[in-house]
Amino acid sequence: MDPFQMVVIIVLISVGAGVLKNYFKMKENQQADAASDKDVQRMKADIERLKERVHVLEKIVTDNDRQLADEIRKLA
């Protein structure tokens, strides 16, 4: 076996090892991404629920009856 063939074989082994390493890392990241997708969906649901609550609170604060009650309390 001449030196050129040895160099080619070493390079192929190195490249193959790098490809396998990246493949396994990608598989591991896919599993982590699936878990984080669940977290993102849960957070989106929480945000929507909080937006609804803020909307209700804004209605309560801007309600005319509420303003009238506040004015009466200030006079008392």
Side-chain angles (χ1 to χ4, degrees):
M1 184 180 288
D2 66 357
F4 179 73
Q5 287 177 338
M6 288 177 55
V7 169
V8 169
I9 290 172
I10 291 171
V11 169
L12 288 176
I13 290 172
S14 299
V15 170
V19 168
L20 284 175
K21 181 179 175 184
N22 286 335
Y23 174 77
F24 290 128
K25 191 182 292 185
M26 181 189 67
K27 282 292 191 182
E28 182 180 320
N29 287 340
Q30 284 178 343
Q31 292 171 350
D33 288 345
S36 65
D37 285 343
K38 290 178 185 176
D39 289 338
V40 169
Q41 293 300 324
R42 183 184 51 80
M43 285 185 222
K44 284 182 179 179
D46 287 345
I47 289 171
E48 284 302 315
R49 185 179 50 83
L50 290 172
K51 282 182 180 180
E52 289 175 14
R53 292 182 72 180
V54 167
H55 182 68
V56 169
L57 289 173
E58 286 174 344
K59 273 186 172 179
I60 291 171
V61 169
T62 59
D63 185 21
N64 288 335
D65 293 336
R66 172 87 174 164
Q67 290 174 353
L68 180 62
D70 287 341
E71 289 179 22
I72 292 171
R73 259 184 281 176
K74 286 180 185 176
L75 294 174

